Amino acid sequence: MCGILALIHANASETSAASELHEALYLLQHRGQDACGISTCASGGKIYQCKGNGMAAKVFRDDGARVADLPGYMGIGHLRYPTAGSSANAEAQPFYVNSPYGICFAHNGNLINAPELKRFLDYEAHRHINTESDSELMLNIFANELNETGKARVNDKDIFAALERMYKRCVGGWACTAMLAGFGLIGFRDSYGIRPLVLGSRTSQNGPGMDWMMASESVALDQRGFTDVIDILPGQAVIIQKGAAPVFRQVQEPIRYAPDIFEYVYFARPDTVIDGISVQESRERMGYKLADTIVRRLTAKELADIDVVIPIPETANTSAACVAERLKKPYCQGFVKNRYVFRTFIMPGQKAREKSVRRKLNPMRVKFHGQNVLLVDDSIVRGTTSREIVNMAREAGARKVYFASCAPRITHAHIYGIDLATSSELIAHHRDEESIAKHIGAIKVIYQSLDDLKAACAELSPRPNQEFEVGVFCGIYVTPVEPGYFEHLERVRGETKKLKVMESAREAIANGSAGEEEIKMARNGVEVNGAGEVVAAAGGGPVVGTPANGDGAVRTANGKRQREEPAESSPPRDRMDISLHNFGDYTETTHG
């Protein structure tokens, strides 16, 4: 799951597209905190870009100073959430290819026939792929098809025809925005409607005509004054040339209309509407239906036992309030969330992940002491967070802890752009509810049923018989899955995890907070053990004394200072994008 944006002003002399896209990045920051970027196009077709690892405030500076380097009347933006692929600066989007015509590309989703596409690009299209990102694959498939025109300049018919051919090659779930230098914007969505994309308009603030904006969520358009918001339909593409109205084309017939239900469970903001379904109202209905399940699953004594309903902030707040209302129990905010600690997707080892939970949440003892509590969360993935939260509730004085999930048991990998975990890492993949409760330390765990989850969203849909992508809960995906794809996904995720763990260990050494395991990782490299955990690679003697001193040095058994030396097989720490300048190319001395 990522966030994508696109904006074009009616007046081609405008230079403020980047400023508006920058503001919109903050509205969609929840969709991706790993990396972000903006590409713009000014008069004459000149493309400007700024992107890099980190959140918008880091990449564009807290005061947005880097936005001044991005003139132009149109542009696209991207926020990256970790998916299959590495986390190097080179993976930050938008991607760019200069041939044909100069294309910038922002992609949200995942291609499940990536190995096949890579072979085609290598042996037939003769296009070099420089990253592990399937977004780069899709861009190059599109570029190759567009190049088939052989024309000096293309029109909308050429672009639609290229997209039609691209759709025949690519399998998966996606929503994309693209920019053709000096021409205009392109937006399109997969034929199943898995990933969201909306379009809105606004009367130009600088002359006649209309400005147009696309985004993953309607909230980005609302906040920028865009109205008449519509969903790009499954298999549909839209082209917006400068100074012209959008042109729509069905580039592939809709196969199904099945948005990813995890958008409503967790990812989208509550003030967003996706495919005509209010996220806020869907979460309310999830809460009411979960409460009904709780009534059926708990005994009368256990129900009477519950003193208070407490949400795990923030996504579960709405549903938990509705659970409390239906159960006629008090509702209170028992955890305070630290808003300045953000998601840590991969941490080096169990202890580090547990520490990250405690940095994010702090229980208020007065709300827990002596109480039997029902904790409500949006979902349970690995169980690491849930177990630590239950421990924190007990340490704060809770007598009994019940745990309820607004989502059903997550038993399978997500294959459409959300890197939840591998199947073996999912707590529900090999455990029933009783053993899950024991594992996380709760009296009982109650899950939403899949039928109730689907009904909570479908009841709000403007379409009858609304379907959803729910493969993570049952293993039945809306698209066909290529043989061997899951093995490919496990390999790619394994390499990604190793990169992230190494990065985290090096950062811990640099800031002086590393423990012995992180020091071993930095010195010896990392490997994946039989349990799927990333651990320090074998080799090197024991580490004693001061574990880290903030200068990247470690000390050996005799106390001698030793500079960190990565193992020969360790991957590079980072890579820069070779196409355009990005955030990683600049230092404080050059942009102070």
Side-chain angles (χ1 to χ4, degrees):
M1 179 206 70
C2 299
I4 59 174
L5 296 158
L7 171 70
I8 185 166
H9 285 132
N11 189 337
S13 64
E14 277 273 5
T15 60
S16 61
S19 178
E20 291 205 69
L21 289 168
H22 176 243
E23 292 292 329
L25 287 178
Y26 291 97
L27 296 169
L28 298 185
Q29 187 75 81
H30 60 284
R31 295 189 67 87
Q33 301 171 359
D34 214 37
C36 66
I38 292 173
S39 297
T40 61
C41 182
S43 58
K46 184 77 171 179
I47 292 175
Y48 300 85
Q49 179 175 271
C50 175
K51 65 176 185 175
N53 280 354
M55 298 176 69
K58 174 185 176 184
V59 174
F60 294 95
R61 305 294 173 88
D62 291 328
D63 59 356
R66 294 299 307 279
V67 173
D69 299 333
L70 304 171
Y73 65 95
M74 66 174 175
I76 62 175
H78 187 269
L79 294 142
R80 187 182 71 201
Y81 175 101
T83 58
S86 85
S87 59
N89 267 288
E91 310 285 324
Q93 297 187 44
F95 278 120
Y96 167 78
V97 289
N98 69 340
S99 176
Y101 314 117
I103 307 168
C104 293
F105 194 82
H107 170 257
N108 172 27
N110 206 42
L111 299 176
I112 62 176
N113 64 335
E116 173 192 331
L117 296 174
K118 197 164 189 175
R119 284 192 296 272
F120 165 77
L121 289 168
D122 187 7
Y123 291 105
E124 296 184 46
H126 311 305
R127 283 182 168 265
H128 176 68
I129 300 302
N130 201 53
T131 72
E132 296 301 320
S133 171
D134 54 3
S135 305
E136 189 187 12
L137 287 176
M138 194 171 202
L139 166 58
N140 276 274
I141 293 289
F142 173 56
N144 183 68
E145 298 299 341
L146 196 57
N147 196 49
E148 292 298 311
T149 63
K151 296 165 65 174
R153 296 288 183 269
V154 288
N155 56 37
D156 56 356
K157 294 181 179 62
D158 298 320
I159 296 171
F160 284 134
L163 286 171
E164 288 176 12
R165 295 191 296 271
M166 185 198 75
Y167 270 60
K168 290 176 183 176
R169 293 192 182 277
C170 297
V171 182
W174 62 77
C176 303
T177 56
M179 180 174 65
L180 213 61
F183 179 86
L185 300 178
I186 310 165
F188 51 93
R189 193 176 180 193
D190 69 82
S191 298
Y192 300 85
I194 298 171
R195 302 259 66 86
L197 185 63
V198 293
L199 169 70
S201 61
R202 177 186 69 190
T203 301
S204 174
Q205 300 167 339
N206 187 18
M210 303 293 290
D211 300 334
W212 299 91
M213 187 173 187
M214 288 181 276
S216 297
E217 294 186 30
S218 61
V219 63
L221 276 59
D222 296 339
Q223 289 291 306
R224 302 307 307 162
F226 287 81
T227 58
D228 299 323
V229 176
I230 61 170
D231 294 287
I232 304 301
L233 299 175
Q236 188 180 62
V238 59
I239 295 173
I240 312 172
Q241 296 187 54
K242 55 183 179 181
V247 178
F248 297 88
R249 175 77 60 85
Q250 199 70 40
V251 294
Q252 188 175 74
E253 286 302 309
I255 300 174
R256 296 168 73 174
Y257 203 143
D260 188 345
I261 207 163
F262 238 100
E263 291 281 357
Y264 304 98
V265 171
Y266 174 67
F267 290 112
R269 277 177 50 146
D271 48 350
T272 280
V273 176
I274 296 176
D275 291 310
I277 301 171
S278 163
V279 174
Q280 171 72 11
E281 291 184 19
S282 71
R283 290 176 183 167
E284 290 172 359
R285 296 196 179 211
M286 289 176 209
Y288 292 130
K289 292 180 185 296
L290 179 59
D292 293 340
T293 299
I294 291 169
V295 170
R296 292 192 299 269
R297 293 290 313 282
L298 298 186
T299 66
K301 183 179 184 304
E302 287 171 328
L303 279 171
D305 220 18
I306 295 171
D307 296 312
V308 63
V309 177
I310 295 177
I312 310 305
E314 297 175 330
T315 315
N317 291 358
T318 298
S319 297
C322 295
V323 168
E325 178 188 334
R326 183 63 60 92
L327 296 180
K328 296 181 171 57
K329 298 288 184 179
Y331 166 86
C332 78
Q333 296 277 349
F335 290 98
V336 176
K337 184 176 181 179
N338 184 346
R339 297 179 184 274
Y340 304 99
V341 174
F342 300 101
R343 298 175 184 171
T344 305
F345 298 97
I346 301 293
M347 299 286 289
Q350 184 84 356
K351 293 295 182 184
R353 286 194 291 270
E354 291 170 0
K355 285 180 187 176
S356 74
V357 177
R358 290 182 179 265
R359 284 197 296 268
K360 293 176 189 175
L361 298 175
N362 186 50
M364 292 185 280
R365 180 170 292 274
V366 68
K367 301 295 184 182
F368 286 92
H369 186 70
Q371 300 288 296
N372 297 326
V373 300
L374 171 62
L375 301 180
V376 178
D377 206 351
D378 51 74
S379 58
I380 304 173
V381 182
R382 291 180 177 88
T384 305
T385 299
S386 303
R387 183 169 60 188
E388 195 61 23
I389 286 170
V390 171
N391 287 339
M392 291 162 66
R394 291 190 181 281
E395 290 167 9
R399 290 189 297 150
K400 295 180 181 178
V401 180
Y402 298 87
F403 204 102
S405 168
C406 296
R409 294 167 65 239
I410 299 173
T411 54
H412 292 76
H414 196 289
I415 64 173
Y416 302 115
I418 303 170
D419 196 14
L420 289 177
T422 61
S423 295
S424 60
E425 293 172 322
L426 298 168
I427 190 173
H429 182 70
H430 54 282
R431 291 185 177 92
D432 59 19
E433 291 185 15
E434 184 177 342
S435 60
I436 291 170
K438 184 177 180 181
H439 182 78
I440 70 172
I443 300 295
K444 271 191 178 178
V445 169
I446 304 97
Y447 282 97
Q448 182 93 266
S449 75
L450 182 53
D451 285 343
D452 280 348
L453 175 61
K454 291 191 287 188
C457 301
E459 290 167 0
L460 297 164
S461 174
R463 294 165 296 280
N465 306 314
Q466 176 69 61
E467 297 181 277
F468 297 95
E469 159 49 37
V470 293
V472 292
F473 305 117
C474 59
I476 301 172
Y477 301 96
V478 300
T479 68
V481 181
E482 293 284 317
Y485 175 71
F486 288 102
E487 290 77 7
H488 162 76
L489 194 63
E490 294 290 316
R491 287 194 298 272
V492 172
R493 282 174 167 163
E495 290 304 310
T496 303
K497 186 188 294 186
K498 286 162 64 175
L499 282 167
K500 286 181 173 288
V501 169
M502 279 296 295
E503 182 181 346
S504 181
R506 285 165 170 154
E507 287 179 359
I509 287 177
N511 63 32
S513 62
E516 183 173 323
E517 182 70 6
E518 287 132 320
I519 293 171
K520 287 181 180 178
M521 288 176 177
R523 186 177 62 193
N524 302 335
V526 295
E527 61 188 10
V528 181
N529 65 16
E533 291 281 330
V534 177
V535 298
V543 180
V544 297
T546 306
N549 55 12
D551 61 358
V554 297
R555 300 187 185 279
T556 56
N558 61 11
K560 194 176 279 187
R561 185 176 181 274
Q562 176 179 309
R563 174 63 61 180
E564 170 206 338
E565 293 291 343
E568 287 185 5
S569 60
S570 294
R573 292 180 61 170
D574 202 358
R575 301 192 313 280
M576 296 299 132
D577 190 331
I578 61 173
S579 60
L580 292 173
H581 292 306
N582 62 75
F583 175 75
D585 297 328
Y586 293 83
T587 65
E588 292 297 329
T589 56
T590 58
H591 273 75

